[in-house]
Structures are given as structure tokens and as C-alpha cells.
Amino acid sequence: MLAGLIFATEDAGDRPGTLAATLPFGGMTLLEYQARLLVGAGVAQILVAVTRMTPALLGAVSRAAKRGVPIDVVRSAQEAAAKAHPLASIVVIADGLVTTDDVVERIAGEGKDAVVVTQDASVSLERLDARHCWAGIARTPAQRLSDIAAFPADYDFQSTLLRAIVQAGAEQIALPASAIRAGHGVERDGAALASRSNAVLAALTERRTSWADRHVFTRTARLLLPKVVERALPGWLLTASGVALAGMAAVLILAGWPWGALIALPGVAAFATGAALSALRGEERRAQVQERLIAVSAALVILTLGAGESLLELSWDGLILALVTVAATAIGERTQARVRRWWGSPAGYLLLVTPFAVTGRVSWGLAAVAIYAFVTLAAAVESQREKP
């Protein structure tokens, strides 16, 4: 069994009387984000170690519990040992820790004591030896809680538990440099936490790897996400905006204005931003839906461009090129195991065909994306062949 232990005891550095765990982070509180990471790693129980309950903390715990994993609030090692399953392996999250799914998933699971360490003191809590500092996350058997339960009440729960884990011969796992770039660190200052939130948001947008996503739509999402989070805009608003813009583009194209394809581009940016925001909040299903809507928007624009061109030229050529593009893309998306940077994608095809549509060369654009989609499909199929 896997369980989680989140520490929420320290006040924010710039907000006296406010617990750092209740500071805003990515449209939620830091504690809710930490709980989301643990739920994503597969924990079946979460313990929250506190010294006092505040209305903000109570609300954060209540909202975090809606993810379907029971959350118990404990005030000491004795209470934690009593409520934790005796055979559980516990992932320990330090007070004020900001990290990513990759780091939590790397340390989660069954096994002996382990601590994530770093040589960068700016993203750590306590020094373990002359070279290494604790990076704020560890794994330990539930027995370790029982080992420190008899310690005096004035001992710091978090620090004492860390020392017990280290003295048990914990495995040291190096914190990857990519995690630091993605915002990993311990932070209890509201303004600095907002900066780390932006770093995590930026890292989430990097999940999309094709050239069009990485160099156009990812950069746009990186600019929009902090503003969306700051204004607490709901995720459905981004989805609705994307759908509305795609529909408007299709209507304009069918009305005889092919430049309407240009309007679909901000719609794709809205979907990309919404997908990253959903991923931050642990709503993977919604994020996948928004990713699929990007493909649907691109297909809708390309098909309407093909239909409009066929009607204008009284020929099936435009519609056939559009159908070839959509069919090749659909098969290619199912075939690709590892996407190469130069391979085409729905967002890339939309980006490529738009300049042709704006300049009135729709048939040229449709031919270009059809060839690109077919070449991508061929490369994807070839990558799946067993090499002799």
C-alpha cells in the first residue's frame, strides 16, 4: 500500500498568520497541488501533519479529499503512526515543497527508505552531509513513524522523521536538473511561490513535442497560463472559446472567405492552454479531450477548405486532398509511438495551410498538407518496423 504524508505547519514568510500550505498555487492551494501529485502517483491514503487548523487549511483539505482519496489530519507522529497502515510505504512531502509528477512518481512505490537529494542549497531544506541536501521528498515504511512516536512533543516532527529515515540507511536519489528547471524547490513566500507556479506551468506546456506545438502554440500557452491562473478563469471557458473560434472559422470558410482559417489558430492556442491547466490540476481526462479538440479543429478547417475549394472549382480535387490529409493524420496519430520533432501534427497542418488560405492559394495549401501528412505517416510506419 502507498500512502502520503504532507507537512503543513509553517507560516508563509510574507503573510503572518497564513500557513504556507494554503498559499495560492496554479488556481488552487499548494496543499491541494501536493495532494494532486500524490493521488497521481497512486496513493490510497494521505496524512496531513499540522500544528493548528485554520479555515483556509480546512477548506484546502476538504477540496483535496474530493479526489477520492481519504485524508486524515494529524498533529503528531503518534497520531500519524496510529492512522497509517502498518505495511504502508509513505511518500513524505516537506512543508512548502513545489515539485512535479515525475519526481513524485520516481520515488513512489514499495521499497526501503529513500530520500531525494541535491547539491543546490537554494531548492532544498536541510543538509544531510557535506555534499548533499534534502530536496523535500522522501519515501519510508510506516514503521519509521512508530520509531519516532515516543520522542518528546517539542521535537520537530518533519526534521525528526527525516533524521530517522537517514539513520536507517536511506537510499539517496539525485534530483534531476530538469526538475529544478521545472520549478522544484521549497518555498514559503507568496510572491516567490507564484514564480515557481509559472515554472511548473511552463514545464507542463513542454509535453507537446511537434515543431508547431513547441515553437508556436506552446509559447502562446506559456504566456497565457499565468494570466489565466491569476484571474481564476475556469477551464471550460478556454474549451468553449476554442470551440467557438473553430466553428466561426468553418462558417467563414464555407461563406467564401478562406482567410477564416486564421481565426482557428487562437482557438488551438486556447485548447493548448486549457490542456496544460487541466494537467496542472490533475484532470488528465479533460486534458486529453482538449488535445483531441485540437485535432478536431484542424480537421474541420481543412475539410471545409477542401469543400469550399471543390465548390468553387467544380472539381473533387480540393475535397479529396482534405480527406487524404485527415485520413493520413488519423492513422499516423495511432501509429506514432515516439514523435519526431519534424513530423506533422494536426496543429502543424493547420498552421501550414493557413498562409495559403489567407493568400487565396487554398489548393496549394491542401496539396502541401496532404503530402506532409502522407510523409509523416510513412515515417511513423517505418519507425515501427522491426529492424533486421
Side-chain angles (χ1 to χ4, degrees):
M1 176 182 174
L2 186 64
L5 173 59
I6 300 173
F7 283 92
T9 58
E10 300 295 328
D11 281 354
D14 56 348
R15 302 181 188 181
T18 300
L19 292 171
T22 63
L23 290 173
F25 184 91
M28 63 190 93
T29 62
L30 178 57
L31 184 139
E32 291 173 74
Y33 176 70
Q34 293 169 332
R36 198 276 288 172
L37 293 177
L38 290 172
V39 172
V43 302
Q45 178 191 23
I46 296 176
L47 304 175
V48 179
V50 305
T51 52
R52 72 180 194 277
M53 286 298 296
T54 66
L57 181 60
L58 186 62
V61 169
S62 177
R63 290 189 297 273
K66 293 179 180 179
R67 296 188 179 273
V69 174
I71 298 181
D72 295 305
V73 175
V74 298
R75 295 179 179 272
S76 63
Q78 293 91 334
E79 287 188 30
K83 292 189 175 183
H85 191 285
L87 300 179
S89 181
I90 299 177
V91 177
V92 180
I93 302 289
D95 198 332
L97 177 69
V98 176
T99 189
T100 61
D101 297 90
D102 292 340
V103 176
V104 176
E105 290 171 2
R106 184 176 181 182
I107 201 170
E110 304 297 329
K112 62 178 183 178
D113 298 84
V115 291
V116 177
V117 298
T118 178
Q119 296 184 19
D120 187 347
S122 66
V123 298
S124 63
L125 271 173
E126 299 185 33
R127 184 167 291 279
L128 301 181
D129 53 40
R131 296 181 57 193
H132 299 108
C133 300
W134 183 40
I137 184 169
R139 182 187 68 232
T140 186
Q143 177 61 38
R144 211 63 62 219
L145 295 173
S146 300
D147 293 343
I148 67 171
F151 278 55
D154 58 348
Y155 275 50
D156 183 79
F157 184 4
Q158 177 176 285
S159 183
T160 304
L161 178 59
L162 173 63
R163 296 303 161 185
I165 294 172
V166 173
Q167 290 173 11
E171 172 190 5
Q172 292 190 350
I173 301 175
L175 179 70
S178 58
I180 298 177
R181 292 193 299 270
H184 181 102
V186 177
E187 192 57 69
R188 300 192 185 109
D189 181 89
L193 187 62
S195 177
R196 289 198 184 274
S197 172
N198 292 339
V200 173
L201 290 168
L204 286 171
T205 62
E206 296 294 337
R207 303 193 314 172
R208 315 179 72 239
T209 55
S210 73
W211 64 268
D213 294 321
R214 191 173 186 87
H215 296 296
V216 179
F217 297 111
T218 289
R219 294 179 185 275
T220 304
R222 195 178 296 176
L223 293 173
L224 292 177
L225 268 174
K227 297 179 175 60
V228 170
V229 170
E230 182 182 351
R231 297 175 182 272
L233 297 178
W236 64 263
L237 184 59
L238 291 169
T239 304
S241 299
V243 170
L245 289 170
M248 189 182 303
V251 169
L252 287 172
I253 293 169
L254 291 176
W257 293 305
W259 55 261
L262 189 65
I263 296 178
L265 295 180
V268 171
F271 288 136
T273 305
L277 183 62
S278 297
L280 174 70
R281 295 172 175 173
E283 300 167 344
E284 287 298 331
R285 184 173 298 178
R286 178 175 293 181
Q288 291 173 3
V289 169
Q290 289 164 321
E291 292 284 356
R292 292 192 186 101
L293 285 173
I294 293 176
V296 171
S297 297
L300 179 64
V301 170
I302 290 172
L303 287 172
T304 51
L305 283 172
E309 187 70 3
S310 291
L311 290 173
L312 182 64
E313 301 292 336
L314 299 178
S315 166
W316 289 99
D317 294 349
L319 186 57
I320 290 173
L321 288 172
L323 289 172
V324 167
T325 301
V326 172
T329 303
I331 298 171
E333 290 289 303
R334 292 179 61 85
T335 305
Q336 297 172 19
R338 185 176 63 178
V339 178
R340 303 289 184 183
R341 184 70 55 82
W342 66 268
W343 286 1
S345 65
Y349 301 142
L350 179 60
L351 200 63
L352 178 60
V353 78
T354 297
F356 291 98
V358 171
T359 56
R361 301 291 184 177
V362 175
S363 59
W364 292 16
L366 291 172
V369 295
I371 294 171
Y372 192 10
F374 190 79
V375 170
T376 298
L377 174 59
V381 171
E382 181 64 25
S383 70
Q384 297 300 306
R385 291 181 56 196
E386 293 185 8
K387 301 298 187 290

